[in-house]
Amino acid sequence: MGRRIAVKKFGAIVLSMTLMVNGITGCGAKGGTDESQKGGSAGNETITITNVSYDPTRELYEAYNPLFTEYYKEKTGNDVEVVQSHGGSGSQARSVTEGNDADVVTLALAHDITLIEEAGMIEKGWLDEFKGNSSPYTSTIVFLVRKGNEKNIKDWDDLTKEGVEVITPDPKSSGGACWNFLAAWYYADQNYNGDETKMKDFVGKLYKNVLVMDSGARGATTTFVENKQGDVLVAWENEALASVKEYPDEYEIVTPSVSILAEPSVAIVDENAQKNGTEDVAKEYLEYLYTDEAQKLIGENFYRPSNEDILKTFSDTFDLNINMCTIDDFGGWDQAYKDFFDDGAVFDEIYQQ
């Protein structure tokens, strides 16, 4: 995964240079009054927006940003510079409430954006602002194993067996980890007919086998792929597909009998966009994700396009027949967090034991 590490370092250098230039010249600096950051200004101006995202989307937005800036330049005559920020989805949401000057957020799950809404920074109703519950792409959870699958891992129950070392991130900081947990819980629910004692015991055994619990999904991928730790990575489908593409002779994907429809969400951070004068470009930035050009790019980066027709063209990439539950099976994200991820809820109970 050396390419990804290099990309991460390069992104950090670009971000540092961008901030240095803005600090010295004031060009595109947020919070100022010059026309360079305003969405509807005259041509040949540079608008800077910040997209705070979760960690596996690095490559997607590195590909998407040039596509969008070219479109926006042709439409308005204005140049756009997009500054990216990546990390565990929950941590990223908290960073915005603590001052990270995001114009838009593209996070792993709706609940993380709800936290920003509850801080008064995003207007109510954001989930309906864009199509498909403001989710321009979806994913699911699969297993990544080493070539040959020595431990014969086929389904969730194999992750509870003695001697199987599991890599999965921490639900307290990672949105992907929340999807992982819920998929495992749903499997247990189906197997034990809703017997919560047996379900907790099952998921508890799984987490006892977790060798490393990174703060984010990309960190977990690095632990498994780069650092060669563990027997199985519980992973975003896009992370697993990218790993197999990069190392086709070293890894393979196992699709469990049941997984979950993961819906990463996007939103304008209204308070910041209003302050920065970037409301129009921020809205365009997220709306353009739904265009055919962007949807094809999304599929090429191993996310499932929300456009069903375009998704079908990637049937050789994705298992379109995978059995998936949804967040609605858990009563929505507010209820899921209350039941499983809030302090003292089921995850804490299981993990502390």
Side-chain angles (χ1 to χ4, degrees), residues 12 15 31 35 45 52 57 78 135 163 175-176 197 200 214 267 278 332 350:
L15 175 56
E35 293 297 310
E45 301 290 354
V52 171
T57 61
N78 291 329
S135 182
T197 299
K200 287 180 179 179
D214 291 282
T278 55
I350 288 172

Side-chain angles (χ1 to χ4, degrees), residues 139-142 235-242 302 304 318-319:
S139 190
T140 190
I141 303 304
V142 298
W236 286 103
E237 180 183 49
N238 56 282
E239 288 283 275
L241 287 168
F302 303 125
R304 296 183 175 220
F318 305 113
D319 178 358

Side-chain angles (χ1 to χ4, degrees), residues 40 69 71 75 84 88 94-95 103 107 165 262 278 286 329 348:
T69 55
Y71 154 78
K75 179 178 179 179
Q84 287 295 134
R94 287 189 291 274
S95 79
D103 298 279
L107 297 177
E165 295 180 339
T278 55
L286 297 182
D329 291 305
D348 281 352

Side-chain angles (χ1 to χ4, degrees), residues 130-247:
F130 302 100
K131 291 183 289 187
N133 291 326
S134 290
S135 182
Y137 43 83
T138 66
S139 190
T140 190
I141 303 304
V142 298
F143 304 153
L144 184 67
V145 299
R146 307 192 191 283
K147 202 73 171 180
N149 194 8
E150 183 179 342
K151 295 293 178 73
N152 195 30
I153 294 166
K154 296 179 180 179
D155 212 342
W156 290 100
D157 56 342
D158 295 315
L159 274 58
T160 68
K161 293 179 178 177
E162 186 175 351
V164 174
E165 295 180 339
V166 178
I167 306 296
T168 184
D170 185 353
K172 292 292 188 175
S173 56
S174 167
C178 294
W179 292 114
N180 294 355
F181 181 96
L182 292 178
W185 185 267
Y186 189 81
Y187 174 87
D189 189 11
Q190 299 300 296
N191 271 23
Y192 298 111
N193 298 313
D195 185 325
E196 189 165 307
T197 299
K198 292 180 179 179
M199 292 159 63
K200 287 180 179 179
D201 180 64
F202 174 85
V203 179
K205 287 179 180 178
L206 191 161
Y207 276 88
K208 285 179 183 177
N209 282 350
V210 174
L211 180 65
V212 178
M213 189 177 290
D214 291 282
S215 62
R218 177 55 58 87
T221 301
T222 299
T223 294
F224 184 74
V225 175
E226 285 288 329
N227 300 338
K228 310 295 184 183
Q229 297 188 59
D231 300 307
V232 55
L233 171 69
V234 186
W236 286 103
E237 180 183 49
N238 56 282
E239 288 283 275
L241 287 168
S243 297
V244 170
K245 179 182 179 181
E246 191 164 0
Y247 301 104

Side-chain angles (χ1 to χ4, degrees), residues 35-52:
E35 293 297 310
S36 63
Q37 87 261 350
K38 295 182 180 178
S41 58
N44 299 322
E45 301 290 354
T46 298
I47 307 161
T48 302
I49 62 171
T50 298
N51 175 11
V52 171

Side-chain angles (χ1 to χ4, degrees), residues 7 31 34 42 45 54-56 63 65 69 73 92 164 184 285 291 348:
V7 165
D34 71 57
E45 301 290 354
Y54 63 109
D55 48 11
N65 291 340
T69 55
K73 175 73 170 179
Q92 290 290 81
V164 174
Y285 182 78
T291 64
D348 281 352

